């Protein structure tokens, strides 16, 4: 599925179809991450991405997630413009992730919430 977001179309993936071995990149702010994130996610706040680009793998599927899908769509477009090919926006973000019953943990590994 492709959504026309911020100009060029951004490839998306339903959160229910994100495989366990997909590199899940959470681009939300520190307080959002601490309150609740996917247990296997990698945290890299959106504004830090340009300086930390080398941390994002280019050799495997990458799904980018934020709270609802707006920031992550911008990050997906940025990554595609910088040569990433296997990158998609998590449709509906962490709100949708939690809504479909996928696990959410806080900074201490306890049940978390999406803020």
């Amino acid at each position: 599925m492709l959504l026309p977001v911020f100009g060029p179309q951004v490839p998306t993936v339903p959160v229910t179809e994100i495989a366990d071995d997909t590199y899940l990149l959470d681009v939300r702010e520190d307080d959002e991450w601490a309150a609740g994130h996917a247990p296997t996610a990698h945290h890299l706040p959106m504004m830090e991405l340009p300086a930390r680009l080398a941390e994002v793998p280019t050799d495997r599927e990458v799904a980018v997630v934020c709270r609802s899908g707006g920031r992550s769509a911008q990050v997906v477009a940025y990554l595609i413009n910088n040569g990433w090919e296997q990158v998609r926006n998590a449709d509906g973000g962490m709100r949708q992730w939690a809504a479909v019953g996928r696990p959410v943990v806080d900074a201490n590994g306890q049940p978390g919430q999406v803020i």
Side-chain angles (χ1 to χ4, degrees):
M1 172 192 270
L2 294 176
L3 295 177
V5 179
F6 307 107
Q9 292 185 325
V10 173
T12 65
V13 59
V15 295
T16 54
E17 294 180 17
I18 296 174
D20 291 340
D21 63 344
T22 298
Y23 188 92
L24 185 59
L25 178 63
D26 190 322
V27 297
R28 296 175 302 147
E29 296 300 318
D30 292 338
D31 61 329
E32 294 172 290
W33 168 265
H37 57 270
T40 60
H42 302 269
H43 186 221
L44 200 170
M46 183 173 120
M47 299 311 287
E48 295 179 22
L49 181 66
R52 298 174 58 189
L53 207 50
E55 295 177 32
V56 183
T58 57
D59 60 348
R60 62 190 275 207
E61 288 285 332
V62 175
V64 184
V65 68
C66 65
R67 181 175 40 235
S68 60
R71 287 173 285 179
S72 52
Q74 293 177 63
V75 169
V76 169
Y78 181 84
L79 290 171
I80 288 171
N81 287 336
N82 281 279
W84 272 256
E85 296 175 358
Q86 300 181 81
V87 60
R88 296 181 289 171
N89 189 22
D91 193 21
M94 283 302 297
R95 286 184 174 161
Q96 183 64 20
W97 180 278
V100 300
R102 297 205 70 172
V104 177
V105 296
D106 68 13
N108 298 314
Q110 300 302 311
Q113 63 181 348
V114 178
I115 63 168

